[in-house]
Amino acid sequence: MNFDRLPKFDELPIKEGAPPDSNWGVFGEDDQIGCLNFLTPESIVEAARLVRKGEVFRLDLPVGYVDPPILNRPPVQHTITRFPVLLAHDDKLDEYNTQEGSQWDGLGHVGHPAYNAFYNGVKPEEIVSGPDGKLGIHLWADKIVGRGVLLDAFKFRNEQGRPVDPGAPEEYTVADLQQAAEARGVDLKPGDILLVRTGWLQHYAKASPEEKRRTGTVNGLRACGLDHSREMAAWLWDHRIAALATDCPAVETWPWKDYRSEALHYRTLALLGLPLGELFDLEALATDCAQDGVYEFMLVSAPLNLRGGIASPANALAIK
Ligand code: UVW
């Protein structure tokens, strides 16, 4: 597919009856993987060339690190069970929510309330567990491999003398991201898996137990993030970003300004089919990028092969 021929954001939608600012139909009537279509065999081969020093960065937090998990999700219970006959053990995870920590939001996670639909017009009743479930996370099981790029927006804003308070719903704009890229000589390319460090996770690491308890609740959570503007959606689409992940809880700020129509979740997951990664651990990677001045790497993520699944632990590695 020649991505240059795809419509620009201002030319969307291309399909009659599709919502404004949606790319529904661009990757096909029945497409279910959205912007992951930007990842091609050629881009995977290119990404492999970015492995130069043999360093591997795990991008997910340990399971159970965010304690309690945010947005009232239950904490996972891990027990080790003893095998009856052999000297052997198994694991048992109870109450495991695939979004308890570092995670991908699948395209069945959030739909657009104004259209009562998910990406590409999928209806809520089509999102079901099992192989017939539309937009299931299993469709990504072998898809997320490509060139990762880190923008350390938190560091950039600090250096600018315009620090962001990660524990408040303060926004990063398109201009912040664009300038953070330019400051480090990063050129975005079609098919990039874009990682944005917002500073939220290093803030959370220093929080008191009381603050962490408050952070776990829907009403108590306060977090910085990307702004939810039309301009942001346009910038992501026109750069042909394949997936976007950050170190904050919702990619965009929390609480959202408008739960009815304006959230970045609606603009990306529902209207563009752009996967969102949340609570990615970008700390060690950001330190390394600052040291060697290289902000690109191979990124490999193998989501759960859960048929009809809604989301997945990130299971992500950046390899330099
Ligand atoms: C919701 O948007 C409800 O959750 P998350 O921020 O985990 O995607």
Side-chain angles (χ1 to χ4, degrees), residues 115-241:
Y115 309 107
N116 191 36
F118 292 75
Y119 169 66
N120 228 2
V122 169
K123 290 292 168 200
E125 55 276 17
E126 297 179 283
I127 308 240
V128 292
S129 176
D132 297 332
K134 288 263 183 91
L135 305 178
I137 202 78
H138 63 288
L139 299 169
W140 300 6
D142 59 356
K143 293 284 180 293
I144 309 183
V145 178
R147 178 192 189 232
V149 167
L150 177 74
L151 299 184
D152 192 340
F154 179 63
K155 191 161 190 276
F156 174 74
R157 284 280 303 261
N158 265 324
E159 288 166 0
Q160 292 275 300
R162 298 185 297 123
V164 166
D165 175 3
E170 292 190 14
E171 294 178 333
Y172 291 94
T173 63
V174 167
D176 289 329
L177 302 189
Q178 189 64 50
Q179 287 167 22
E182 283 161 14
R184 299 291 182 266
V186 173
D187 267 335
L188 294 175
K189 296 184 185 166
D192 278 350
I193 300 165
L194 179 62
L195 308 181
V196 180
R197 180 171 178 259
T198 68
W200 193 83
L201 206 55
Q202 56 82 42
H203 167 84
Y204 181 80
K206 293 180 273 192
S208 66
E210 181 44 41
E211 197 178 338
K212 287 185 176 172
R213 262 194 298 279
R214 180 175 57 72
T215 292
T217 64
V218 170
N219 293 330
L221 177 63
R222 295 285 177 277
C224 67
L226 273 49
D227 76 32
H228 62 274
S229 63
R230 182 170 189 266
E231 190 192 2
M232 182 66 76
W235 186 80
L236 294 163
W237 173 252
D238 286 341
H239 279 96
R240 311 310 191 201
I241 298 299

Side-chain angles (χ1 to χ4, degrees), residues 71 73 99 103 105 109-110 249-250 254 256 265 278:
L71 303 183
R73 290 174 175 136
Q99 295 174 85
Q103 46 120 344
D105 282 350
H109 175 50
V110 169
W254 189 276
W256 297 354
H265 272 60
E278 298 168 336

Side-chain angles (χ1 to χ4, degrees), residues 69 73-78 92-98 100:
R73 290 174 175 136
V76 63
Q77 310 294 330
H78 176 213
K92 193 155 88 69
L93 296 179
D94 288 310
E95 296 274 11
Y96 182 64
N97 182 308
T98 53
E100 62 83 41

